[in-house]
């Protein structure tokens, strides 16, 4: 049987330290033993015992202890009522989760409050879109809540449809003109409209959800002089089997015509009033008008209402790829309205400072209590939040219960476990960002890894995204646990999925934004990962259709998406194994060579589109390529010699070697952040500027190269200087990382 490098290292370390302990005990046996000497022996025994590979029985117990019925019970309670951030129900759930962690026997469990700026619709004055005829008669009014289709769908506290942080406003078109269809609202969509001679300045725009973050859609509209934006979910994206009642919820996971996707439009992370600083009691706060919030109204609607509006639009027919799935709708671009109609968009949103809680709970490590393995999931939802986030929250509670059982049976992790239930994630990762900002120095010194488990269950196929350092470790764990749909291992199930595309191994990617790993990964440089079960793209290449709508219910998950809760059970199992792997391994199970290899692949992607441009702007670009190669060589040498070096390692040296790997991504942080983006400091892996959801390699470089061929004069010269500066920074960072991997005594 093959022995992994981590296993071999653990055995060698244990053997060497065992000899040391044996020598101490033998020496002490020749004379009286003091309490101080007993403590020394106890410490050495803890340093040598219980490596992750040496007690496989604990891993089997983790898998066996995770109970699908427990998860279902917790999920039903979590989704019983809407729990928007800052509401009484959200506070109730925070206290409930704290009680669960305490009941599990955790050493600490605290409610951590932050006073943050949130956004709400007026519950007595809903946001509406209307159509009026030439006589001023209202012939159409949009819905502001979903039509209840199951007995538990209609809760009086369910939030009206709105887009958070979009302001209150009252805008309207002229009679017969002033409405433009902009497809998905991407940069390329606006460029196509300009090419076709369709102006959006002064118009109300209508876009379909998908492809990019909704905040980018609103920003693009605002930048081009539009006065309002309507966003709808198109059947082509959310109802591919048809829109008849038998084809949508409650009979399937596809979205009915009144489903409306709520969500934030804020382009930053954290409290909008305290960028870069925690929103604690004494924090300095910006004025609201300084917070860079959206300035034009925006409102989501369902596709039933969108059909009524689009049917009234004239102008030229949209390009082929712009036409969605609404039957008998031409998808005209506008701005003309067929007939003497006028469209009006009225929103009554308001912003308010509100308290929101994180729940932070710890299990103290037995050997390295100052090294943290963190797991987190947000708690707040736009409604019932069955998938997002409650499938992850139910998993978090069950994983905590399993840890508690193991603690009761005598196990205690080598390193400290930190369980985090984040508040106000949906508004812009607020709870996690404020906490990371408050504890940044401590986390950068002590955090081993952050595991995010937001939205455990939105489909059936396992998906891993994260720091390349973590890919090998999680892949190994998938071989140790059952599949969620069939016999065999999760790895076999995962691999069969990717064999469909003729891949020889599962595809794993780096992180975009959109969940609470962002402040850890992109701001603090802490290795982070996210595990989820997502849509089977062999059938439908779509996001989960009921996302952020009133149909994201317990019924949806229990009856349609995850009957029996086997998928969510699988999520808890893989998370529990990952926690123990990173918490109990003597040598941290990071695979260092994968990091520069992924960087090389990303840099090749940049070169594919911009190599000649880069060389013409900065002939020293080749030095960056050489620096990445040097880092690759240094990482491979570090990894290849580790087995030999560890034979002579004392515990202090082993700990220092672990620190070299767990802190290496901090070497890629730019103190001032990426160009124009201070909240994203990771220069190699961070979200795209033009789609906050998407991952990007060397994102600052891609941002600076975007549309560079359209620039002229001083604007072009300034951009080229910025590119030279950024390439220089990247080259220096690569060299610093390579030096960081040298022998510990070398600077």
């Amino acid at each position: 049987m093959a022995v992994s490098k981590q296993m071999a290292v653990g055995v060698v370390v244990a053997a060497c330290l065992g000899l040391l302990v044996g020598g101490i005990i033998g020496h002490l046996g020749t004379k009286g033993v003091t309490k101080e000497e007993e403590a020394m022996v106890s410490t050495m025994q803890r340093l040598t015992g219980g490596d992750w590979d040496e007690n496989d029985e604990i891993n089997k117990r983790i898998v066996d202890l995770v109970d699908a019925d427990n998860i279902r019970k917790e999920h039903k309670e979590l989704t019983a009522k809407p729990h928007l951030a800052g509401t009484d129900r959200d506070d109730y759930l925070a206290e409930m989760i704290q009680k669960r962690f305490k009941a599990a026997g955790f050493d600490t469990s605290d409610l951590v409050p932050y006073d943050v700026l949130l956004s709400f619709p007026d519950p007595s004055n809903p946001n509406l879109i209307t159509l009026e005829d030439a006589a001023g008669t209202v012939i159409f009014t949009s819905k502001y809540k979903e039509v209840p289709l199951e007995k538990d769908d209609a809760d009086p506290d369910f939030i009206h449809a709105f887009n958070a942080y979009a302001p209150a406003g009252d805008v309207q078109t002229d009679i017969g003109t002033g409405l433009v269809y902009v497809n998905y609202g991407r940069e390329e969509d606006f460029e196509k409209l300009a090419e076709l001679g369709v102006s959006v300045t002064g118009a109300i725009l209508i876009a379909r959800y998908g492809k990019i973050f909704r905040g980018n859609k609103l920003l693009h509209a605002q930048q081009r002089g539009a006065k309002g934006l309507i966003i709808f979910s198109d059947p082509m994206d959310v109802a591919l089997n048809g829109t008849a009642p038998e084809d949508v919820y409650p009979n399937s996971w596809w979205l009915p015509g009144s489903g409306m996707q709520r969500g934030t439009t804020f382009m930053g992370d954290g409290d909008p009033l305290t960028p870069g600083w925690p929103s604690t009691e004494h924090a300095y706060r910006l004025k609201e008008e300084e917070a860079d919030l959206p300035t034009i109204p925006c409102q989501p609607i369902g596709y039933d209402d969108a059909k009524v509006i689009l049917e009234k639009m004239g102008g030229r027919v949209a390009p082929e790829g712009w036409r969605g799935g609404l039957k008998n709708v031409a998808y005209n671009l506008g701005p003309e309205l067929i007939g003497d109609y006028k469209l009006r968009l009225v929103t009554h949103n308001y912003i308010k400072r509100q308290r929101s809680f994180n729940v932070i709970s710890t299990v103290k490590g037995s050997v390295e209590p100052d090294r943290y393995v963190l797991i987190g999931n947000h708690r707040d939802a736009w409604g019932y939040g069955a998938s997002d986030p409650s499938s992850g929250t139910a998993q978090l509670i069950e994983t905590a219960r399993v840890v508690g059982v193991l603690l009761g049976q005598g196990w205690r992790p080598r390193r400290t476990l930190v369980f985090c239930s984040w508040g106000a994630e949906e508004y812009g990762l607020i709870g996690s960002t404020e906490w990371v900002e408050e504890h940044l120095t401590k986390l950068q010194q002590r955090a081993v890894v952050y595991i995010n488990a937001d939205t455990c269950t939105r489909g059936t196929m396992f998906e891993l995204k994260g720091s390349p350092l973590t890919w090998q470790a999680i892949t190994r764990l998938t071989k140790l646990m059952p599949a969620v749909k069939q016999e065999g291992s999760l790895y076999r199930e995962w691999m069969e999925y990717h064999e469909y595309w003729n891949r020889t191994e599962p595809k794993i990617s780096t992180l975009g934004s959109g969940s609470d790993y962002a402040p850890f990964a992109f701001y603090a440089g802490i290795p982070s990962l996210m595990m989820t079960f997502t849509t089977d793209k062999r059938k439908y290449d779509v996001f989960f259709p009921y996302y952020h709508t009133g149909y994201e219910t317990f019924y949806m998950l229990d009856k349609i998406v995850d009957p029996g809760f086997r998928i969510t059970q699988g999520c808890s199992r893989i998370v529990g194994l990952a926690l123990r792997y990173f918490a109990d391994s003597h040598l941290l199970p990071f695979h260092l060579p994968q990091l520069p290899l992924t960087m090389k692949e990303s840099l090749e992607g940049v070169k594919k589109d911009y190599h000649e441009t880069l060389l013409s702007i900065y002939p020293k670009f080749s030095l960056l390529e050489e620096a990445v190669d040097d880092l690759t060589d240094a990482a491979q040498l570090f990894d290849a010699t580790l087995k030999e070096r560890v034979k002579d390692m004392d515990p202090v040296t082993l700990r220092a070697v672990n620190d070299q790997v767990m802190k290496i991504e901090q070497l890629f942080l730019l103190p001032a952040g990426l160009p124009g983006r201070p909240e994203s400091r990771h220069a190699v892996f961070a979200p795209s500027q033009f789609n906050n959801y998407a991952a990007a390699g060397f994102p600052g470089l891609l941002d600076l190269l975007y549309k560079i061929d359209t620039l002229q004069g001083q604007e072009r010269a300034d951009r080229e200087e910025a590119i030279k500066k950024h390439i220089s920074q990247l080259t220096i960072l690569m060299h610093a990382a390579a030096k960081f991997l040298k022998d510990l005594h070398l600077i």
Side-chain angles (χ1 to χ4, degrees):
M1 183 177 70
V3 179
S4 72
K5 183 172 294 182
Q6 281 78 14
M7 181 182 293
V9 170
V11 170
V12 171
V13 172
C16 294
L17 294 180
L19 291 172
L20 180 58
V21 172
I24 294 172
I25 293 173
H27 170 69
L28 295 178
T30 64
K31 64 184 187 72
V33 180
T34 66
K35 289 184 177 180
E36 290 77 10
E37 289 168 334
E38 286 180 349
M40 180 173 64
V41 172
S42 176
T43 298
M44 294 305 296
Q45 287 174 330
R46 285 188 290 116
L47 285 169
T48 63
D51 191 51
W52 187 81
D53 292 289
E54 294 176 25
N55 195 347
D56 187 53
E57 181 60 31
I58 296 178
N59 297 330
K60 294 177 182 176
R61 269 186 274 163
I62 289 171
V63 171
D64 292 341
L65 282 169
V66 176
D67 190 308
D69 290 336
N70 284 343
I71 294 173
R72 184 181 186 277
K73 178 183 175 183
E74 296 292 358
H75 187 269
K76 191 169 185 179
E77 174 67 14
L78 291 164
T79 58
K81 292 184 69 65
H83 43 285
L84 193 69
T87 63
D88 291 343
R89 179 67 182 183
D90 186 49
D91 290 351
Y92 165 82
L93 292 181
E95 293 171 359
M96 184 192 89
I97 291 167
Q98 182 190 35
K99 290 176 184 177
R100 298 289 195 274
F101 290 156
K102 287 182 176 179
F106 284 20
D107 295 300
T108 67
S109 188
D110 299 310
L111 294 176
V112 181
Y114 292 103
D115 184 18
V116 298
L117 189 72
L118 301 181
S119 171
F120 303 94
D122 185 342
S124 62
N125 201 4
N127 301 339
L128 297 174
I129 299 160
T130 58
L131 279 170
E132 299 178 10
D133 62 18
T137 303
V138 174
I139 64 164
F140 162 78
T141 301
S142 63
K143 298 178 183 67
Y144 57 89
K145 278 190 177 183
E146 284 83 353
V147 175
L149 297 173
E150 268 291 313
K151 63 183 179 65
D152 295 329
D153 290 354
D155 190 289
D157 295 328
F158 201 91
I159 197 76
H160 291 181
F162 84 119
N163 287 127
Y165 297 112
D170 185 347
V171 295
Q172 56 188 340
T173 68
D174 295 328
I175 293 176
T177 188
L179 182 64
V180 178
Y181 172 58
V182 297
N183 196 25
Y184 289 108
R186 300 167 294 185
E187 287 276 345
E188 57 264 38
D189 294 330
F190 285 101
E191 291 169 4
K192 185 65 175 180
L193 286 169
E195 177 187 319
L196 295 173
V198 179
S199 174
V200 300
T201 303
I204 296 175
L205 311 184
I206 182 167
R208 48 179 171 162
Y209 266 118
K211 306 300 183 184
I212 63 171
F213 174 54
R214 72 186 72 80
N216 290 98
K217 298 175 191 282
L218 184 56
L219 180 63
H220 295 162
Q222 183 177 302
Q223 289 172 334
R224 289 161 175 82
K227 59 185 178 183
L229 177 65
I230 302 165
I231 316 179
F232 72 98
S233 299
D234 192 278
M236 184 171 284
D237 301 303
V238 298
L240 286 180
N241 283 354
T243 60
E246 62 269 20
D247 294 323
V248 297
Y249 178 88
N251 300 304
S252 81
W253 77 325
W254 296 112
L255 190 67
S258 68
M260 290 169 273
Q261 184 191 129
R262 296 147 182 83
T264 188
T265 59
F266 179 50
M267 289 296 294
D269 291 339
D271 177 20
L273 301 184
T274 60
W277 293 96
S279 52
T280 51
E281 181 182 358
H282 303 294
Y284 174 81
R285 286 173 166 78
L286 301 177
K287 298 180 179 64
E288 290 176 0
E289 58 270 21
E290 298 175 318
D292 201 24
L293 298 174
T295 58
I296 62 174
C298 181
Q299 178 65 12
I301 59 174
Y303 59 76
D304 281 350
D305 285 349
K307 185 175 189 293
V308 176
I309 294 171
L310 291 169
E311 284 174 337
K312 302 295 189 292
M313 292 184 64
R316 67 188 299 165
V317 175
E320 182 66 31
W322 289 36
R323 298 170 205 169
L326 287 169
K327 291 183 178 180
N328 303 316
V329 173
Y331 288 86
N332 294 326
L333 296 177
E336 294 85 4
L337 290 164
I338 300 172
D340 293 331
Y341 294 108
K342 177 172 69 175
L343 182 138
R344 184 181 181 189
L345 166 61
V346 182
T347 57
H348 302 283
N349 305 332
Y350 65 95
I351 50 180
K352 178 185 178 183
R353 277 176 56 182
Q354 191 82 10
R355 184 187 62 187
S356 178
F357 289 108
N358 293 334
V359 186
I360 307 295
S361 303
T362 64
V363 176
K364 184 179 179 182
S366 61
V367 179
E368 297 181 85
D370 65 332
R371 290 294 179 265
Y372 309 147
V373 176
L374 302 105
I375 174 176
N377 160 251
H378 74 95
R379 182 184 62 255
D380 64 305
W382 292 115
Y384 305 108
S387 284
D388 181 11
S390 297
S391 62
T393 310
Q395 169 276 136
L396 189 73
I397 293 171
E398 177 64 5
T399 303
R401 186 193 67 82
V402 169
V403 168
V405 172
L406 295 177
L407 290 172
Q409 295 174 348
W411 172 81
R412 181 164 285 272
R414 177 187 181 92
R415 302 179 182 92
T416 293
L417 303 180
V418 184
F419 278 64
C420 311
S421 173
W422 305 117
E425 185 268 359
E426 294 291 8
Y427 282 88
L429 320 182
I430 289 178
S432 55
T433 298
E434 300 311 307
W435 192 76
V436 169
E437 288 173 344
E438 184 173 11
H439 302 286
L440 181 63
T441 301
K442 184 182 290 187
L443 289 170
Q444 287 188 311
Q445 290 175 348
R446 303 178 181 179
V448 172
V449 67
Y450 173 72
I451 300 168
N452 200 62
D454 180 8
T455 315
C456 265
T457 311
R458 62 174 182 253
T460 59
M461 304 313 305
F462 181 68
E463 180 180 70
L464 169 63
K465 296 182 178 181
S467 166
L469 292 171
T470 69
W471 295 358
Q472 186 183 79
I474 303 303
T475 300
R476 179 185 181 189
L477 296 181
T478 62
K479 300 176 182 179
L480 303 182
M481 59 168 281
V484 299
K485 297 189 304 175
Q486 59 190 34
E487 298 299 320
S489 69
L490 179 62
Y491 177 80
R492 184 65 251 161
E493 190 171 74
W494 189 24
M495 191 61 242
E496 286 176 2
Y497 176 62
H498 287 280
E499 286 171 349
Y500 178 83
W501 288 280
N502 297 315
R503 296 175 184 141
T504 57
E505 58 186 17
K507 181 181 178 182
I508 307 172
S509 64
T510 56
L511 293 164
S513 191
S515 195
D516 291 300
Y517 50 74
F520 290 91
F522 310 138
Y523 190 75
I526 293 166
S528 302
L529 62 102
M530 179 166 176
M531 295 178 285
T532 187
F533 287 82
T534 190
T535 310
D536 186 343
K537 291 183 172 56
R538 292 172 298 186
K539 299 178 181 178
Y540 304 108
D541 189 7
V542 297
F543 203 52
F544 59 116
Y546 49 92
Y547 171 66
H548 287 187
T549 72
Y551 302 120
E552 194 181 335
T553 61
F554 175 76
Y555 176 92
M556 170 68 79
L557 206 77
D558 184 46
K559 301 299 184 185
I560 299 173
V561 178
D562 190 16
F565 280 76
R566 282 195 64 189
I567 299 169
T568 317
Q569 179 188 44
C571 187
S572 182
R573 283 170 166 169
I574 191 71
V575 165
L577 290 171
L579 283 175
R580 181 167 185 254
Y581 200 4
F582 287 105
D584 275 357
S585 296
H586 286 148
L587 185 71
L588 289 174
F590 291 125
H591 183 52
L592 184 58
Q594 187 64 56
L595 187 67
L597 286 175
T598 307
M599 291 178 185
K600 285 173 69 70
E601 292 173 4
S602 297
L603 195 58
E604 287 299 317
V606 176
K607 287 169 57 181
K608 181 179 178 181
D609 295 325
Y610 297 106
H611 196 207
E612 295 303 320
T613 301
L614 285 165
L615 288 176
S616 67
I617 292 172
Y618 194 49
K620 292 184 179 181
F621 173 74
S622 59
L623 297 180
L624 172 58
E625 298 178 89
E626 292 174 11
V628 174
D629 288 338
D630 289 345
L631 176 57
T632 303
D633 293 342
Q636 290 175 341
L637 180 63
F638 182 96
D639 189 68
T641 60
L642 191 57
K643 184 177 178 180
E644 289 301 314
R645 290 163 55 210
V646 79
K647 291 179 180 179
D648 299 320
M649 277 187 191
D650 59 87
V652 174
T653 305
L654 178 66
R655 180 175 162 96
V657 168
N658 278 336
D659 282 0
Q660 281 181 288
V661 185
M662 85 179 200
K663 295 183 180 182
I664 192 168
E665 289 203 54
Q666 294 178 37
L667 274 292
F668 306 117
L669 300 181
L670 294 171
L674 296 175
R677 292 197 282 161
E679 75 281 356
S680 292
R681 304 197 300 171
H682 203 303
V684 182
F685 303 119
S688 163
Q689 181 179 5
F690 303 103
N691 177 9
N692 207 32
Y693 284 152
F698 296 96
L701 194 54
L702 287 173
D703 291 349
L704 292 169
L705 287 164
Y706 184 73
K707 287 188 176 180
I708 189 169
D709 290 337
T710 67
L711 304 181
Q712 297 178 351
Q714 189 61 45
E715 190 177 9
R716 169 80 182 212
D718 291 344
R719 183 70 65 85
E720 290 186 356
E721 285 302 309
I723 289 171
K724 293 175 186 178
K725 178 181 178 182
H726 192 61
I727 293 173
S728 173
Q729 291 172 330
L730 290 169
T731 306
I732 291 170
L733 296 179
M734 295 299 154
H735 284 304
K739 291 178 181 177
F740 190 68
L741 296 177
K742 290 185 176 181
D743 287 346
L744 294 165
H745 68 286
L746 299 174
I747 298 178

